[in-house]
Each structure stands twice: as structure tokens, then as C-alpha cells.
Amino acid sequence: PHGDTQQHLELDPAWGGANCVHVNVMADKMVIGCENNVVACYQIASEEDLASSGNQPQQQLFQLLWSIPQAHEKALCAVNFAPRGDLIVTSAKDGTAKVWNATDGAPISTLLCDVSDPKAKNPPKRKPQVLVRGCAFGDLEGKVIYTIASPRRGKAFLARWIQPPQKNQTTYQCQERLEISPCPISSMSLSSDGGLLALGGVDGTITLMDMQTWKKLRSFPEVHDLPVTCIAARPFALPLCGEEDGVQMHAVSASADSQLAMLTLQRRVPKKKGAKGSTSSDTSSLTTILWIFVWGGAIVWTMIQIVRETMELCETELETRALGALQQCFFQTVLLAPSTRPGILIPPH
């Protein structure tokens, strides 16, 4: 609460440290993928369980449910719970993604990812190492899986895996594969509703994709100076805390450059209710002030010209202080010309 650390979890040193972590939607289980090929699942105690312990010895916040020492042949890259929490998918640098039973860690299926370019004329002489940097379930039942794979250098491919409709079917088939980036992808996040996919590249580029249309929405080139280490897609379309100004954040990314980026697909800030009338009122007030300045300036300029002409044309009357003669000079010479004088009645200034 309030940012204080209740407990911290120490992993087995033999696991080599955590590379990825994911918590299910109920926030009662957590799965961790480690550098030394280990996958471990923990039970997370609720606040009620911690409060009910009372004066008894402090209950552990994290309790290990199961661990698999050699879940993959190489280091883990990503782990993800199915929305209903009964399945877990993991991916690693061994070119595979695997599906596990979340209850006991029993293996269910293995997905062999491919990074061969279908447009290439000649296949590579040596098979590259395949890195499956991201994986996620695309539906509630866990029958759809998305993976992002690439060699160490080169193009990244997004794949959609579908489980056949037969009963008791545990295999997944690659339905379609799309070249998503000219360079490897280092992080991936799928929104809670399965509609928005956010990808972070090793070149710092962020890509947002619509999963329903299977098309890119927008790419943000080189947002970061270094590879994107983690990214989070907007969970759902409803307004989130902090979006009172109307600007929706569709992805948040972090990088080894120690910077956090917040990205939106909106091109304009939406106008608030009543903003139209307020803008009209502000414009009217500005126009009024402008006209006051124009007319005030014109009056001041005219008065200056009249005083200057009076001092030049009525210099003698001013020195003698003859008010009658000064008045006659002002009206008949400066301001108005006599009717007997040819030309206009009011001399220009």
C-alpha cells in the first residue's frame, strides 16, 4: 500500500535470475521465466489472507506452486497467462513457444516458430537461431496464440496459431504469418481485449497493430535510443485514470536508455463540452479589445497632429496669449478653413 514493500521474492540462484514475469487477471498467480531455462509459478496471497494471520508468523505473500527446471532448451523471453487463468504460454531463445497447465505445470503443446522469408529467392545456407521474444493468448479459451520471432539479425515475423476445433485437441497450427519489422522485436504486449498489439524493436521503434484487421495502425520510428526492454498495450478502450484531458495513451514503453515513452494514436486533442462557446466568447472579447486599440490610436494620432499644427500656425497668438485671436486662428486656420478660401474646408493632417 502507498508504494511500500510488503515482501520481496528471492529466486533460487541456480535459476539465473528472472527474464520475464506475468500476473493473471485475478492477481492470485504469477509466472516467472528465468535465464537458465526455468519456468516457475507462484500463488499470491490476498490482502484478506495476510490480514487474517494476526499475531501468527507472517504469512508468505508468494508461495511456490511448481517449477520446471528445463522448460526450454535456452533462456526464457516471455510468459503469459490465458485470460481465464488455466493455461500458460512461454517462449524462449530456442525457437519455440510452449503451452502449460497453470495448475500443475504439465506440458500441453509445443509451437515451432519459423523465421524464413517467404519472399526470399534463395534459402539461407545455414539455419539461423530463432528467438521467440514474445507470446500471448488471443482469446479467452486459449485457443489462439500470437508469437513474435526473429533471428538475431534480420526481419521479425508475427504468427497467429489456432487450435483445431476437434475435441481434446492439444496442438496448435500456424494459421498465418506476417513480416512485421525489418529488425528484431525485443518486447511485445497484447491488450486485455485482444484488439491491440504493441511491439518494441531493438532499434527503439514502436509499432501498434490492429489484431482484428491484421494490419499495422502506426509505427513510431526510433522512439528510444536503445532496444525497447518492455512495453504495455492499452488494456481496453474505456478511459483510464489520468486521461481527464481526453488524450488516450495506447502504449507505454521503456528502454535501456532510461526513458519512458507514452504513445497515442490520436492526432488531435478532443474539445471539451462547452469549449466551442468558450472559444467564441474569447474571440469576441479579443476583437473588441483590438478595435479599442485601433480607435484609441487613431484619436491620439489626430490630437498630436492638431497640437503640432496649432503650435506652428498660431505661434504669434500663443506668444501674446491673446485668447480671442488664438481661438480665431485655431478654428479658421488649423481646424476649419474659411468659406472664402478656395479648396476644401478641412485641411488634411
Side-chain angles (χ1 to χ4, degrees):
H2 308 291
D4 297 331
T5 301
Q6 288 184 318
Q7 293 184 26
H8 65 275
L9 176 63
E10 292 185 4
L11 301 180
D12 189 336
W15 293 358
N19 286 351
C20 47
V21 61
H22 190 249
V23 178
N24 66 352
V25 294
M26 300 302 295
D28 60 357
K29 288 183 180 180
M30 176 177 65
V31 60
I32 298 176
C34 300
E35 177 68 21
N36 291 346
N37 318 341
V38 178
V39 174
C41 186
Y42 286 84
Q43 181 75 37
I44 304 176
S46 64
E47 293 184 0
E48 291 77 9
D49 295 335
L50 296 175
S52 63
S53 61
N55 296 328
Q56 299 177 1
Q58 187 178 21
Q59 181 177 349
Q60 292 294 322
L61 180 61
F62 304 103
Q63 293 184 352
L64 181 64
L65 295 177
W66 51 263
S67 64
I68 305 175
Q70 293 296 323
H72 287 266
E73 295 180 4
K74 293 187 178 182
L76 273 290
C77 293
V79 293
N80 192 271
F81 276 100
R84 291 184 175 174
D86 54 343
L87 296 175
I88 293 174
V89 61
T90 63
S91 64
K93 296 180 180 180
D94 59 1
T96 66
K98 295 185 178 183
V99 182
W100 313 85
N101 188 309
T103 303
D104 55 8
I108 296 177
S109 183
T110 299
L111 289 62
L112 185 60
C113 298
D114 184 18
V115 294
S116 61
D117 189 353
K119 298 180 181 179
K121 296 182 179 179
N122 299 319
K125 297 181 180 180
R126 186 176 60 179
K127 186 177 180 180
Q129 178 184 355
V130 179
L131 309 177
V132 188
R133 302 273 188 156
C135 60
F137 286 102
D139 66 338
L140 295 176
E141 293 78 14
K143 295 183 178 180
V144 179
I145 296 177
Y146 297 110
T147 60
I148 189 77
S150 67
R152 290 191 175 274
R153 296 180 181 177
K155 301 177 181 179
F157 294 89
L158 175 67
R160 177 191 280 136
W161 302 79
I162 303 294
Q163 193 177 74
Q166 291 85 355
K167 293 183 178 180
N168 301 324
Q169 183 63 256
T170 59
T171 61
Y172 290 82
Q173 298 176 355
C174 184
Q175 186 184 46
E176 52 187 329
R177 193 163 60 99
L178 174 69
E179 178 187 329
I180 196 67
S181 172
C183 63
I185 295 295
S186 54
S187 58
M188 163 183 161
S189 175
L190 183 66
S191 62
S192 300
D193 58 8
L196 178 66
L197 182 70
L199 301 171
V202 296
D203 62 344
T205 297
I206 305 297
T207 302
L208 301 182
M209 183 169 178
D210 187 342
M211 302 309 289
Q212 294 182 352
T213 62
W214 199 245
K215 293 181 179 180
K216 290 183 183 180
L217 292 173
R218 189 175 177 184
S219 290
F220 301 85
E222 298 180 1
V223 175
H224 295 280
D225 298 328
L226 295 173
V228 180
T229 54
C230 59
I231 193 168
R234 182 182 184 83
F236 39 74
L238 297 177
L240 302 176
C241 180
E243 295 181 341
E244 290 78 9
D245 57 355
V247 178
Q248 295 185 348
M249 294 297 106
H250 292 87
V252 179
S253 63
S255 168
D257 62 2
S258 302
Q259 293 183 356
L260 187 72
M262 305 181 72
L263 308 166
T264 179
L265 293 171
Q266 294 179 221
R267 299 187 180 274
R268 295 181 180 179
V269 178
K271 295 182 179 180
K272 298 181 180 179
K273 293 182 179 180
K276 183 176 181 181
S278 176
T279 303
S280 177
S281 176
D282 293 343
T283 304
S284 177
S285 301
L286 183 61
T287 304
T288 302
I289 295 174
L290 182 60
W291 276 110
I292 290 175
F293 273 104
V294 171
W295 283 105
I299 293 173
V300 170
W301 181 84
T302 303
M303 294 300 296
I304 292 174
Q305 300 300 321
I306 291 175
V307 171
R308 182 181 299 171
E309 291 289 333
T310 302
M311 295 179 66
E312 291 180 357
L313 300 178
C314 304
E315 182 179 1
T316 304
E317 288 80 357
L318 288 171
E319 291 178 354
T320 59
R321 298 183 180 182
L323 296 180
L326 178 61
Q327 182 179 5
Q328 184 178 6
C329 175
F330 176 77
F331 282 104
Q332 294 186 1
T333 306
V334 178
L335 194 60
L336 298 175
S339 57
T340 56
R341 182 186 300 175
I344 59 176
L345 294 178
I346 301 178
H349 295 288

